[in-house]
Structure formats: C-alpha cells, structure tokens
Amino acid sequence: GNSVTQMEGPVTLSEEAFLTINCTYTATGYPSLFWYVQYPGEGLQLLLKATKADDKGSNKGFEATYRKETTSFHLEKGSVQVSDSAVYFCALSDHTGNQFYFGTGTSLTVIP
Amino acid sequence: DSGVTQTPKHLITATGQRVTLRCSPRSGDLSVYWYQQSLDQGLQFLIHYYNGEERAKGNILERFSAQQFPDLHSELNLSSLELGDSALYFCASRGQGVYYGYTFGSGTRLTVV
C-alpha cells in the first residue's frame, strides 16, 4: 500500500539555522511527491512538488529531491526565518490520483 | 485566496444534529476531495469526487455522506453528530492529471457541544 512517514516534531530552531525535515514513503508504481505548509488558522498550501525520480522541487528557499533509491523526499532550507513557523506535511499521490497520502505533519517553530 | 471556497468557516452545533458543509472547487477543476483534520488523527481522507462521480472513499463514517453537483460544487453531510466529530473539515480541488497538487480551501471548523 501507499504511506508516508515524517519525522516527529515539534522542531524548534533559531533564525538562520539550517532545516531538514525527513520524509520517507512507500508506494506502488511511480508516485508524485509533495510538501504542503499549514500556517496557524489556515488551510494547507502547496509548497513544492516533484513528479519523478531525481527531480528537485523548490520554492521560497525550500528544496526537496525525489530519491527513488532511498524512497525519500526530505525538505531542506538553508536559513529559516521566523515567518517559516508552521506545520509541514509530506504527501504522495499515486498514479490514479484518487487520493493523497499525507504524513502526520511536523511543527516548526523558529525563534528570533 | 486559493480559489477553493468553503462555507461556513465556523459551525457550532449540538450532539445528535445534522450539518452540511459546502465546497466550491477552483474554476476548471473537476475533482473535489474532503479531508478531516483533528489533533489526534491528523489528516484523514474522507472521499473523492470527479465530475459528479464518487472515485474513492477513505475513512468516512456511515453517518457522513457527500455528493458533487452538476455545477461541480460539493456538499459534505454529517449527521447524528458526536463530540468526536469536532474537527477541521477541508475541501480540496485538483487540476486534471496526477502531477497536479491539491488546492485547499481554508476549512470549516466544526465544534460539537
């Protein structure tokens, strides 16, 4: 079956620190992979995506590379800001597109 | 504004009651997905409709039902409400093709008292 495993939170970092949030997946076939961000009181917003192996998704300084050999899609940012404080969800979509499979979310707090 | 509209934003109701949540997808999107988000369960997939047809069902209780109308808006009906149904209910729509991500609405916060 399909599933996504994310690193447990919460994560607290100082401003300008390096961020990594680990995500691994299990899927049949060739899924598309996504990172979503949820700010307090809001819905989920697409942060970045990758649709095939070795693709790198990037947006707003965040990056993630689709690694088929390690079934991973880790989220990274070189220098976090206070405004990056949010909950981050890793997700996959299988070839049918009938359902997204979400990780449990990782809460990030960035302190000045 | 994501283009996905959910109403109402907040709903407070008593146990045993029935409520209807409404979602209008982004213009041009044929797919609508419903998710429930609670603190202890995370994001739970409920149901997916594509152009009026049910395509996939997740952990949706028998007390819950949904439909997608010809104008593509969707409604999620929750009946015989229990305290445990209190959660955020999100609707998302998606462009055609499996490479597209979801676009989420801002959600309906349901509180059952």
Side-chain angles (χ1 to χ4, degrees):
Chain A
N2 299 312
S3 66
V4 173
T5 303
Q6 259 181 265
M7 70 183 269
E8 294 280 334
V11 173
T12 303
L13 294 174
S14 296
E15 207 164 20
E16 299 183 4
F18 185 86
L19 168 71
T20 300
I21 301 178
N22 290 337
C23 171
T24 57
Y25 67 90
T26 302
T28 53
Y30 301 96
S32 296
L33 302 174
F34 304 82
W35 276 100
Y36 281 83
V37 58
Q38 185 178 28
Y39 298 101
E42 297 184 14
L44 281 74
Q45 301 173 27
L46 178 63
L47 182 58
L48 54 85
K49 69 176 183 181
T51 59
K52 62 182 188 299
D54 300 324
D55 265 2
K56 178 186 282 189
S58 61
N59 186 25
K60 300 181 182 179
F62 291 90
E63 292 183 342
T65 301
Y66 188 143
R67 301 276 188 212
K68 196 169 189 304
E69 63 276 13
T70 54
T71 61
S72 65
F73 193 54
H74 305 320
L75 182 69
E76 297 182 336
K77 186 174 186 183
S79 175
V80 293
Q81 306 300 312
V82 171
S83 57
D84 294 327
S85 299
V87 180
Y88 293 81
F89 292 89
C90 184
L92 75 81
S93 173
D94 68 11
H95 66 283
T96 69
N98 281 334
Q99 181 180 344
F100 266 47
Y101 298 83
F102 284 90
T104 52
T106 301
S107 174
L108 169 67
T109 301
V110 180
I111 55 177
Chain B
D1 180 9
S2 68
V4 177
T5 304
Q6 284 189 253
T7 56
K9 290 195 183 307
H10 302 278
L11 201 48
I12 301 176
T13 190
T15 53
Q17 296 298 304
R18 172 189 166 95
V19 296
T20 297
L21 312 184
R22 184 188 168 102
C23 169
S24 294
R26 204 177 49 164
S27 178
D29 289 353
L30 302 181
S31 276
V32 169
Y33 303 76
W34 285 97
Y35 280 81
Q36 179 193 59
Q37 186 179 36
S38 57
L39 281 174
D40 55 343
Q41 297 279 333
L43 270 166
Q44 297 289 313
F45 169 66
L46 296 178
I47 200 161
H48 167 213
Y49 277 86
Y50 178 82
N51 202 20
E53 288 186 14
E54 182 186 301
R55 281 291 179 92
K57 221 174 212 186
N59 300 320
I60 187 165
L61 300 171
E62 284 191 14
R63 300 183 285 109
F64 296 0
S65 65
Q67 57 184 128
Q68 186 179 27
F69 294 87
D71 67 351
L72 301 177
H73 91 272
S74 177
E75 293 181 356
L76 179 67
N77 300 298
L78 316 176
S79 61
S80 303
L81 285 167
E82 302 174 0
L83 295 178
D85 297 327
S86 296
L88 264 172
Y89 290 84
F90 286 108
C91 165
S93 72
R94 186 182 198 183
Q96 294 193 56
V98 297
Y99 301 134
Y100 287 93
Y102 284 166
T103 300
F104 279 85
S106 55
T108 294
R109 180 171 291 283
L110 173 66
T111 303
V112 182
V113 298

